[in-house]
Amino acid sequence: MMHLTRLGIVTGSSTTGRTAVLALGIVACLAGRAVAQPSDVAEGKRIWAEKAQCVDCHGWAGDGARSSLHSPGQAPSLRLTKLTRDQIRMTIQCGRPGTPMPHFDRFAYTDKRCYDATAEDLGDKVPDRAIVTLQPYEIDALADYVAIQIKGAGPVTKKECQDFFAGNAGSRCDMYPDQPKSASQAAR
């Protein structure tokens, strides 16, 4: 006979019950983090702006606007990306072969963790290693920030700019509208 204890543990001699509990445990482990925590998103913003210096190429708003004289420019707008959160994470971890997007995983392309390829497989298409590398939890936080705050955000607004720069916005946000243009206004 099978019994469910106060802690939710199945007891008894039922192989089926133990198998069900084991399967449930495996599913819970594989599911990982189903929802990004606000603290992860905040940490991702810090990494975006400061540590990984994503703003240099993608712009502070992730719209691809050049934010630095050191930027090669022409980074894609992440506001328009169709990538999933996991694809965004892979791009941060592994870069984009054959493009200026660097990889932030110290061990990328030393084994097949990135796009199932090694440096030898890619030859001269191996992305450069970023100036700083990130730990897996930092890559997760950065991917959460991009997926939640940037992807699909629409046109940049003055309020978004002021929120990003907090008290240090100065006049740099004056170029953005208070409200995004509607589709009918943009067509005029």
Side-chain angles (χ1 to χ4, degrees), residues 26-140:
I26 290 170
V27 168
C29 289
L30 292 176
R33 301 171 12 182
V35 178
Q37 299 299 312
S39 60
D40 293 338
V41 175
E43 178 64 4
K45 178 182 177 185
R46 185 195 68 75
I47 293 166
W48 169 271
E50 298 170 15
K51 185 171 184 178
Q53 300 173 350
C54 304
V55 297
D56 287 352
C57 297
H58 291 282
W60 68 266
D63 58 357
R66 189 172 169 175
S67 293
S68 165
L69 295 175
H70 306 291
S71 169
Q74 302 175 343
S77 172
L78 298 175
R79 297 172 87 84
L80 302 174
T81 189
K82 302 291 185 213
L83 297 177
T84 66
R85 186 255 183 218
D86 289 341
Q87 291 168 326
I88 292 167
R89 190 197 186 288
M90 178 66 80
T91 302
I92 296 164
Q93 176 181 349
C94 301
R96 297 295 276 178
T99 74
M101 176 65 190
H103 65 81
F104 287 86
D105 180 340
R106 175 182 312 262
F107 301 109
Y109 305 104
T110 61
D111 55 22
K112 298 226 179 215
R113 75 182 69 200
C114 290
Y115 307 114
D116 198 32
T118 64
E120 185 177 329
D121 296 335
L122 293 177
D124 66 350
K125 300 287 187 201
V126 175
D128 291 336
R129 184 168 140 181
I131 294 170
V132 297
T133 57
L134 301 174
Q135 295 296 318
Y137 70 90
E138 293 173 309
I139 294 171
D140 284 331

